[in-house]
Amino acid sequence: MESKTLHFLSLLAENNNRDWFQENRKLYDAAKADMEKLVGYLITEVGKFQDLGNLQVKECLLRINRDIRFSKNKAPYKNNLAAGIGPGGKSSGKIDYYLQIQPGDLSFLGGGMWDTTSEQLARFRQEIDYNADELKHIIEGKEFKELFPEIHGDILKTTPKGYPKDHPEIELLKRKQLFFVHRYTDKEVASKDFGDMVVNAISLLKPFTDYMNYVLYEQPAEQ
């Protein structure tokens, strides 16, 4: 990405109001175009190893405007540019690859189980109880752990209902969220190889998102 995109986002963080934004609309338009170019590249390259259908850039980009209706923070804009890349785009309702560009070494690629229903959590726990090895084989692989070393998300303080405290996979069973993140420095984001870095990370994250999408959304319910 262009370094001027990170510069714009830094300025926006310091001047997060509508007047400044409108006065500097050209800077935002340039940053948005830079993000669109990156997302277009990712769609092309990821499409070589995953069927994304006829995915369009506009289906991936998230709005920079914040929903402030129920927030104490009334800043009208996000301090980042973000996209959800996967079949169906940001609104598919399934797990995708979430890319966020934010200065201060806060950019990251992430994906996983985050906002789930009680039914989906039950399906996940049932799968872990039945066969945890498939998931563990993915997330404990050497290359995966090098890029995604830590599980993020909330954990139950108590044992989930229906499972014994001494279950061999109790730590996975207690998970309410299971999300992985790879962070990028500003230097990496501004490098000419950034797009390829993200493609490589997505290729390593794909088996995990495939697994989670199957368990949460595609696996036939037991009769």
Side-chain angles (χ1 to χ4, degrees), residues 28 32 35-36 39 43 52 54-65 78 81-100 110 112 115 213 217:
Y28 165 66
K32 182 182 178 185
M35 186 69 172
E36 289 172 343
V39 172
I43 290 173
L52 297 177
N54 189 32
L55 185 64
Q56 302 297 305
V57 170
K58 65 181 180 181
E59 296 175 294
C60 300
L61 294 179
L62 278 71
R63 287 165 50 86
I64 197 168
N65 302 73
K78 302 170 187 173
L81 294 172
I85 302 166
K90 64 186 179 185
S91 301
S92 70
K94 294 187 177 182
I95 294 170
D96 57 17
Y97 312 111
Y98 175 77
L99 178 65
Q100 181 168 302
D115 187 15
N213 275 319
Y217 300 100

Side-chain angles (χ1 to χ4, degrees), residues 39-203:
V39 172
Y41 180 79
L42 297 178
I43 290 173
T44 298
E45 295 304 306
V46 173
K48 294 177 181 179
F49 56 81
Q50 179 169 358
D51 183 6
L52 297 177
N54 189 32
L55 185 64
Q56 302 297 305
V57 170
K58 65 181 180 181
E59 296 175 294
C60 300
L61 294 179
L62 278 71
R63 287 165 50 86
I64 197 168
N65 302 73
R66 294 183 63 252
D67 184 352
I68 61 175
R69 291 173 298 172
F70 309 107
S71 174
K72 292 181 180 179
N73 177 5
K74 297 302 180 182
Y77 306 104
K78 302 170 187 173
N79 296 331
N80 61 71
L81 294 172
I85 302 166
K90 64 186 179 185
S91 301
S92 70
K94 294 187 177 182
I95 294 170
D96 57 17
Y97 312 111
Y98 175 77
L99 178 65
Q100 181 168 302
I101 305 300
Q102 185 169 349
D105 296 341
L106 297 175
S107 300
F108 68 89
L109 173 78
M113 181 174 71
W114 193 258
D115 187 15
T116 53
T117 65
S118 56
E119 180 184 349
Q120 288 169 334
L121 268 179
R123 291 173 68 147
F124 168 72
R125 288 173 179 146
Q126 185 178 60
E127 186 65 23
I128 294 302
D129 182 41
Y130 173 70
N131 176 23
D133 288 346
E134 186 175 354
L135 174 61
K136 291 168 70 176
H137 178 75
I138 296 169
I139 65 177
E140 294 178 3
K142 181 181 178 182
E143 285 187 287
F144 188 93
K145 285 191 75 69
E146 285 177 354
L147 247 61
F148 304 98
E150 181 183 355
I151 302 175
H152 297 263
D154 293 340
I155 308 172
L156 284 176
K157 294 180 180 179
T158 58
T159 306
K161 187 177 180 180
Y163 297 96
K165 293 180 180 180
D166 60 351
H167 192 289
E169 305 300 341
I170 191 61
E171 293 307 312
L172 279 174
L173 291 170
K174 288 167 69 175
R175 289 242 160 230
K176 295 167 64 179
Q177 298 169 327
L178 191 73
F179 198 87
F180 289 92
V181 166
H182 179 70
R183 301 188 184 280
Y184 298 97
T185 65
D186 291 352
K187 184 178 180 180
E188 288 175 319
V189 173
S191 75
K192 62 181 177 61
D193 299 323
F194 179 58
D196 292 330
M197 292 181 196
V198 177
V199 171
N200 179 61
I202 287 175
S203 71

